[in-house]
């Protein structure tokens, strides 16, 4: 599977045809960590990339100049909605924003903050992106964690939030299959990468596997399917 697939123009059945324009990718948490690696990888594949996150000034040295950086706090719902609403076109949403506060997550305030950023922030971004993704036939890649599947005794909030992302992704996929409010826009994807660079690579491949440009959505690719496509 070629990563350059993400740079190709989309035939969207007559809705705001983009001609020779590149695909547009928004990466939440795109100014650091896995998110920054994802943004860089998509940019290298030829996509138009918007990295949304904190410390955009500090990200200047980490991201290519072609990547647009937007300061955004996912806990501020209105700011997120305004940001997404200002994006003219969206083909791929990667939810990579996340925080972890080791040793303090049993404190209720800390627990609530971690869940608000990691899980509720992901849901906010998915909902805000609905109309744009439906129009383009795009997809979502949700970044989970190994702790989605087993406990992390020092990070209960992070564990709960990433487990929640796994189930949220399944719920959005089921909603897609049911043809209700989320319809074909929510090709919600679960990504479980091994390292920032590998996670970035898998994010591009997963999106390439599932972005059709016609509003159609295939089955959610498993981690093994993504890795096999990457090895091809």
């Amino acid at each position: 599977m070629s990563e350059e697939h993400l740079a190709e123009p989309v035939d969207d059945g007559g809705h705001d045809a983009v001609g020779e324009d590149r695909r547009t990718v928004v990466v939440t948490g795109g100014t650091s960590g896995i998110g920054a690696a994802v943004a860089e990888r998509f940019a290298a594949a030829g996509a138009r990339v918007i990295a949304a996150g904190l410390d955009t000034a500090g990200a200047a040295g980490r991201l290519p100049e072609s990547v647009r950086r937007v300061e955004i706090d996912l806990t501020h719902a209105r700011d997120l909605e305004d940001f997404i609403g200002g994006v003219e076109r969206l083909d791929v949403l990667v939810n990579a924003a996340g925080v972890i506060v080791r040793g303090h997550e049993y404190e209720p305030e800390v627990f609530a903050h971690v869940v608000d950023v990691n899980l509720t922030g992901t849901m906010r971004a998915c909902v805000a992106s609905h109309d744009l993704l439906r129009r383009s036939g795009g997809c979502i890649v949700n970044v989970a964690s190994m702790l989605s599947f087993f406990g992390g005794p020092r990070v209960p909030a992070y564990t709960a939030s990433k487990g929640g992302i796994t189930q949220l992704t399944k719920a959005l996929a089921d909603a897609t299959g049911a043809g209700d409010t989320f319809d074909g826009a929510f090709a919600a994807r679960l990504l479980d990468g091994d390292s920032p660079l590998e996670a970035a690579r898998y994010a591009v491949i997963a999106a390439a596997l599932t972005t059709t440009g016609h509003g159609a959505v295939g089955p959610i690719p498993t981690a093994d399917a993504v890795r096999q496509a990457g090895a091809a």
Side-chain angles (χ1 to χ4, degrees), residues 132-160:
L132 286 170
L133 290 170
R134 179 175 59 184
R135 190 177 303 127
S136 69
C139 73
I140 296 171
V141 177
N142 287 334
V143 178
S145 166
M146 293 184 295
L147 294 183
S148 297
F149 309 102
F150 56 84
R154 295 187 62 214
V155 287
Y158 185 84
T159 301

Side-chain angles (χ1 to χ4, degrees), residues 53-208:
L54 303 176
D55 189 23
T56 54
R62 294 189 293 267
L63 295 172
E65 291 184 1
S66 63
V67 175
R68 176 186 166 198
R69 303 183 301 278
V70 175
E71 189 94 10
I72 195 77
D73 184 337
L74 294 184
T75 66
H76 297 166
R78 179 58 62 85
D79 291 347
L80 177 61
E81 291 168 3
D82 289 346
F83 158 61
I84 295 293
V87 176
E88 183 176 350
R89 179 187 179 85
L90 181 61
D91 298 282
V92 181
L93 170 68
V94 180
N95 285 307
V99 295
I100 188 168
V101 189
R102 293 178 178 85
H104 296 280
E105 292 186 5
Y106 286 96
E107 300 169 22
E109 296 80 4
V110 176
F111 188 99
H113 175 68
V114 171
V115 171
D116 195 17
V117 173
N118 297 2
L119 178 56
T120 309
T122 293
M123 182 58 179
R124 288 187 185 112
C126 288
V127 171
S129 302
H130 170 265
D131 289 345
L132 286 170
L133 290 170
R134 179 175 59 184
R135 190 177 303 127
S136 69
C139 73
I140 296 171
V141 177
N142 287 334
V143 178
S145 166
M146 293 184 295
L147 294 183
S148 297
F149 309 102
F150 56 84
R154 295 187 62 214
V155 287
Y158 185 84
T159 301
S161 67
K162 290 299 185 177
I165 285 176
T166 304
Q167 297 305 317
L168 172 64
T169 300
K170 293 176 182 178
L172 295 179
D174 287 344
T176 299
D180 64 6
T181 305
F182 292 105
D183 58 47
F186 279 102
R189 307 295 162 216
L190 171 64
L191 175 69
D192 184 20
D194 301 320
S195 69
L197 291 178
E198 282 299 282
R201 181 166 176 263
Y202 294 147
V204 175
I205 294 169

Side-chain angles (χ1 to χ4, degrees), residues 3 6-7 22-25 39 41-49 66-67:
E3 295 176 5
L6 270 298
R22 298 168 295 167
R23 295 184 190 271
T24 299
V25 180
R41 192 84 188 208
F42 271 108
R48 178 184 293 106
V49 181
S66 63
V67 175

